[in-house]
Amino acid sequence: MKLKYKFKKNIDLGSLDAESDKLLISAFVEREDIEIVKNTDNLKSILLGRTGSGKTAIIKYLEKDCDNVVRIEPESLSLRHLSNSTIINYFKELDVKLDLFYKLLWKHVFIVELIKLHFKGDLDNSVRILEWIKNQFKNDKKKEAAINYLETWEEKFWENTEYQVREIESDLEKRFRNAVGISGKIQALTALMTKTTDETEREVIRADVITKAQKVINDSQIEEVNSIFKLIKNDLFKGNQKKYYLLIDDLDRDWVSNTIVYDLIKSLIDSIKDFTSLPNTKIIIALRSNIKKKIFTKNYMRGVQREKYANLYLDLSWSKEDLIELINNRLKVIMREEYTQASPKVDDILPKRIKNYNSSIDFILEKTFMRPRDVIDFFNKCIKNADGKTKFSKSILNEATEEYSHERLKALNDEWLENYGQIYEVYSFLKHESDGFVLEDILDKAGNYIINLLTEEKMSRISGELHIILKEFKDKMDIDDTLKKLLIIFHEIGLIGVKINSEKPVKYFYNTYETFDINDLIKETKFYVHPMFKAALKIT
C-alpha cells in the first residue's frame, strides 16, 4: 500500500535542546554506549562529547530505564555561595589548594545519596538508618572514624545539600582560626601580615599561614569520609546484587561562579575515580569537550596528568548508520502522530541522486559533525521548506543548507565562548576564501586582518589561548607562526579540516585522533573550511 503523508510546517523531528526534545525517548537509538554505561564493572562513566552529541539523551534514558537511580542537579547543590565565602576566597588568594575540600563536598553528597538508595524501602525513618549502621559496627575499632562521622552528622545527615555544605565550610573556618590563633575575622590576618614593613618577615608570616591553611584543608574530615566510604564498600554493599546509579548533567549551565566552577568539576572527576571501586555502583556525568579542555588547561601547571583519567571517558561518536536510524525513528513517530499508516524512511524522502555524492544522505552528513543535533537541525529546515510535499527536492536541500550554515556558525561561537571569547572576531579573514587554501594564499590577508584586531576594544572580546596568541603576535609580529597556531585552533573547534600533505586525507576533528602542532603544517599543507560553514563564510 502506498504511504499517504505530506510534510507540514508545524511538524519537526524534535528540538535541538535535549531537555525539551519530545522525541528523545520515543525515538531513542539504543547503541552500544548504553550497555557500556550501564555496566558497573566498566570504568567508563564520563560521557564526553561536543554539544549535541547525545550526552543528555543517555542520562535521560538511564533515568527512565534503570532502577535505583538518583539524578543530582548541580543547581540543587546550592554551591553558589562558596564563591562569596570569606574563607574560600582567602585561601584562593593565598593559592592554597582546595581540591581536597571540594572532593570532601562531592563525596559527602554521594555517600548520603547512596545510603538513601541502599535502604530505600527497608527502613522508613532516616534516624533508624543511622542508628542501625551505628549499632551494627559500634564495637569495631576499625569502623570508629566512620561511626564518629555519622554521629557528627546524625541530626544533619538528611538536610539539604546547601545546609550541609555551609556546615562543612563553617567547620573549615573554625579549625583554621584555631590553627592560626585568631578569634576575630579572617581579615585580621591580612592586617597582621601588613603590620610589619619588613618584607622578609611578611613572607615568613605568609608562608606560615599558607602551611597551616593547607594542613587544615588536608585534614578536613578526609579520614572520616574515607572511613564511611570503606564501610559502605566492604560491609553495606558487600554481596549486594542491586545496581546503583548517580547521574549528573548540566555542568555547563550557570550553577556556580566561574571563579570556582572548573575546580569543582575537576574535583568531581577525581571523586568519580575514587568511587569506581564501589561494587555495583556507578556515578555517571555528562561533560562537554570544551569544558574538559578548560579544566585541564587550567590545571596543567599544577602537574595534573590527563592520562590517569583516560579510562573514565566514553567518547560519544556516531556512525552514518546510527544517524540514519535516528532520523528513521523520528520520522516513524511524527508520521504516526499525523497519519496512522504512514512511516516513511530517509530513502523515501530524499532525492535519488545528487551530483558528486553516492547518496543524498551523504550530501547532508557531509555538512554535519556526525552528531544528532546537526542532522535533526538540517532535516527540520528541510521540512519547513517542504510544506505540503512528500519529498525533499534538490532545491529544498539547497535552501536548507543556507539557513543551516549560518545558524551552525552562530552555534559554534556559542559553544566555544568560555574558552576563547568571541572567536568570530578572529576567523573572519577566512570569508570568501577558495577551498583548499595553503598558508601562502592567505598570509598577507590574514596578517593585515590580525593587525586590525590588536585594538583594546577587540582584544577585550577575545580570551584564553586565542588572546595569548594575539598578544605574542603584537610583541613579535611573526605572522607565519601566529597563523599556524590559529589554524590549529580552528581545526580543534571544527571550523576547518587539515590535509597535511598530498598523501594524507583531509582530517576533521571528529574523524581523527591526531593532534597537530605548528611543525606539522608545511608549505604543501592544505586547509578546507568544513562544509557546514561554507555557505555562511561564502567559500568558493
Side-chain angles (χ1 to χ4, degrees), residues 272-427:
I272 290 172
K273 187 172 178 63
D274 292 343
F275 273 74
T276 54
S277 64
L278 213 54
N280 292 326
T281 302
K282 206 160 191 182
I283 301 169
I284 301 163
I285 71 168
L287 185 66
R288 266 174 36 186
S289 304
N290 66 299
I291 292 180
K292 176 199 168 193
K293 177 180 172 64
K294 187 87 173 177
I295 291 166
F296 287 100
T297 300
K298 176 179 172 60
N299 285 278
Y300 177 74
M301 298 304 292
R302 300 177 72 171
V304 174
Q305 297 176 336
R306 301 184 191 201
E307 294 80 8
K308 72 177 185 179
Y309 304 99
N311 57 2
L312 297 178
Y313 298 125
L314 178 61
D315 288 288
L316 300 183
S317 60
W318 290 69
S319 67
K320 174 181 175 180
E321 292 70 28
D322 290 335
L323 293 170
I324 290 174
E325 183 181 352
L326 173 84
I327 297 302
N328 285 340
N329 286 358
R330 288 172 178 255
L331 282 170
K332 184 177 181 180
V333 174
I334 67 165
M335 286 304 180
R336 286 194 173 173
E337 287 175 355
E338 295 283 330
Y339 314 96
T340 26
Q341 298 298 319
S343 186
K345 294 189 175 181
V346 165
D347 288 342
D348 299 320
I349 64 174
L350 293 178
K352 293 297 179 188
R353 291 184 186 84
I354 292 184
K355 189 179 178 181
N356 298 328
Y357 293 90
N358 292 327
S359 66
S360 296
I361 191 64
D362 289 334
F363 171 86
I364 293 172
L365 293 182
E366 179 197 57
K367 295 167 178 57
T368 73
F369 286 162
M370 296 298 288
R371 59 185 180 182
R373 179 172 296 178
D374 303 331
V375 181
I376 293 169
D377 190 20
F378 196 97
F379 271 85
N380 281 346
K381 286 175 171 46
C382 289
I383 290 172
K384 186 177 76 172
N385 290 317
D387 186 29
K389 298 182 175 64
T390 59
K391 284 178 174 285
F392 302 155
S393 65
K394 293 176 187 176
S395 62
I396 286 173
L397 294 183
N398 288 332
E399 287 171 15
T401 296
E402 188 73 27
E403 183 183 356
Y404 166 86
S405 183
H406 283 88
E407 286 192 11
R408 289 295 92 206
L409 190 57
K410 289 177 185 175
L412 186 77
N413 287 298
D414 293 341
E415 181 180 354
W416 291 94
L417 180 66
E418 61 188 300
N419 295 75
Y420 300 124
Q422 304 289 359
I423 56 172
Y424 68 83
E425 295 274 11
V426 183
Y427 67 63

Side-chain angles (χ1 to χ4, degrees), residues 183-326:
S183 55
K185 294 182 178 180
I186 295 296
Q187 287 86 340
L189 274 173
T190 306
L192 179 66
M193 283 190 274
T194 56
K195 185 177 176 181
T196 175
T197 55
D198 189 306
E199 188 175 335
T200 304
E201 188 177 343
R202 278 205 307 269
E203 284 304 311
V204 169
I205 296 172
R206 179 182 172 84
D208 181 56
V209 169
I210 292 173
T211 301
K212 288 174 178 175
Q214 195 65 64
K215 187 175 187 310
V216 167
I217 288 289
N218 295 349
D219 293 343
S220 297
Q221 299 181 329
I222 300 300
E223 182 185 350
E224 291 90 342
V225 170
N226 288 338
S227 295
I228 193 75
F229 175 81
K230 288 177 184 176
L231 185 146
I232 292 173
K233 176 182 174 181
N234 300 327
D235 298 282
L236 291 185
F237 285 16
K238 190 175 182 180
N240 176 51
Q241 296 305 308
K242 292 180 182 177
K243 294 184 185 297
Y244 303 126
Y245 299 96
L246 303 184
L247 312 177
I248 302 178
D249 194 8
D250 300 328
L251 291 169
D252 54 340
R253 296 197 176 181
D254 186 23
W255 59 281
V256 74
S257 165
N258 280 341
T259 59
I260 61 173
V261 66
Y262 303 111
D263 291 330
L264 278 169
I265 298 175
K266 168 64 173 55
S267 297
L268 168 60
I269 294 171
D270 285 332
S271 302
I272 290 172
K273 187 172 178 63
D274 292 343
F275 273 74
T276 54
S277 64
L278 213 54
N280 292 326
T281 302
K282 206 160 191 182
I283 301 169
I284 301 163
I285 71 168
L287 185 66
R288 266 174 36 186
S289 304
N290 66 299
I291 292 180
K292 176 199 168 193
K293 177 180 172 64
K294 187 87 173 177
I295 291 166
F296 287 100
T297 300
K298 176 179 172 60
N299 285 278
Y300 177 74
M301 298 304 292
R302 300 177 72 171
V304 174
Q305 297 176 336
R306 301 184 191 201
E307 294 80 8
K308 72 177 185 179
Y309 304 99
N311 57 2
L312 297 178
Y313 298 125
L314 178 61
D315 288 288
L316 300 183
S317 60
W318 290 69
S319 67
K320 174 181 175 180
E321 292 70 28
D322 290 335
L323 293 170
I324 290 174
E325 183 181 352
L326 173 84

Side-chain angles (χ1 to χ4, degrees), residues 523-534:
K523 188 176 181 179
E524 64 179 293
T525 299
K526 288 190 173 183
F527 304 91
Y528 296 81
V529 169
H530 192 283
M532 180 186 286
F533 310 115
K534 283 184 179 179

Side-chain angles (χ1 to χ4, degrees), residues 14-217:
S15 169
L16 302 190
D17 175 20
E19 288 295 341
S20 57
D21 184 5
K22 62 183 185 295
L23 303 181
L24 190 75
I25 300 300
S26 58
F28 191 80
V29 178
E30 291 195 43
R31 304 185 305 137
E32 184 186 3
D33 293 341
I34 294 296
E35 293 309 312
I36 291 173
V37 175
K38 286 168 69 173
N39 183 354
T40 54
D41 293 325
N42 191 310
L43 295 179
K44 294 190 181 301
S45 49
I46 299 176
L47 307 175
L48 185 67
R50 299 277 294 261
T51 58
S53 58
K55 302 181 297 298
T56 294
I58 292 177
I59 293 287
K60 290 176 82 73
Y61 183 84
L62 292 173
E63 201 173 11
K64 172 184 173 293
D65 190 60
C66 299
D67 297 322
N68 302 309
V69 175
V70 169
R71 181 164 174 174
I72 299 171
E73 302 283 358
E75 286 186 356
S76 71
L77 298 176
S78 301
L79 296 174
R80 189 177 296 278
H81 76 276
L82 282 180
S83 58
N84 298 319
S85 163
T86 303
I87 187 69
I88 297 300
N89 283 326
Y90 185 73
F91 283 172
K92 284 174 71 68
E93 286 175 18
L94 293 176
D95 201 26
V96 173
K97 293 183 180 179
L98 290 159
D99 311 48
L100 283 175
F101 175 70
Y102 295 144
K103 280 180 70 174
L104 171 68
L105 300 182
W106 286 117
K107 286 186 173 184
H108 181 85
V109 170
F110 296 156
I111 285 168
V112 171
E113 295 299 341
L114 287 172
I115 289 177
K116 285 196 283 188
L117 270 179
H118 185 68
F119 287 103
K120 185 174 67 175
D122 295 332
L123 294 170
D124 58 4
N125 185 288
S126 60
V127 176
R128 285 179 60 195
I129 292 175
L130 299 185
E131 283 299 323
W132 183 88
I133 295 173
K134 287 194 294 182
N135 289 335
Q136 284 287 105
F137 306 108
K138 64 182 178 181
N139 296 321
D140 189 337
K141 285 288 183 185
K142 292 181 180 178
K143 309 289 192 304
E144 191 173 346
I147 300 302
N148 288 341
Y149 185 78
L150 291 176
E151 286 178 341
T152 300
W153 284 95
E154 187 163 15
E155 295 177 4
K156 310 160 189 171
F157 203 72
W158 311 109
E159 295 280 357
N160 63 48
T161 309
E162 180 178 11
Y163 178 86
Q164 296 183 24
V165 170
R166 287 186 185 277
E167 286 291 308
I168 294 172
E169 176 196 354
S170 176
D171 175 69
L172 178 73
E173 183 166 346
K174 181 181 176 182
R175 289 185 299 105
F176 177 64
R177 288 176 190 277
N178 291 337
V180 296
I182 62 167
S183 55
K185 294 182 178 180
I186 295 296
Q187 287 86 340
L189 274 173
T190 306
L192 179 66
M193 283 190 274
T194 56
K195 185 177 176 181
T196 175
T197 55
D198 189 306
E199 188 175 335
T200 304
E201 188 177 343
R202 278 205 307 269
E203 284 304 311
V204 169
I205 296 172
R206 179 182 172 84
D208 181 56
V209 169
I210 292 173
T211 301
K212 288 174 178 175
Q214 195 65 64
K215 187 175 187 310
V216 167
I217 288 289

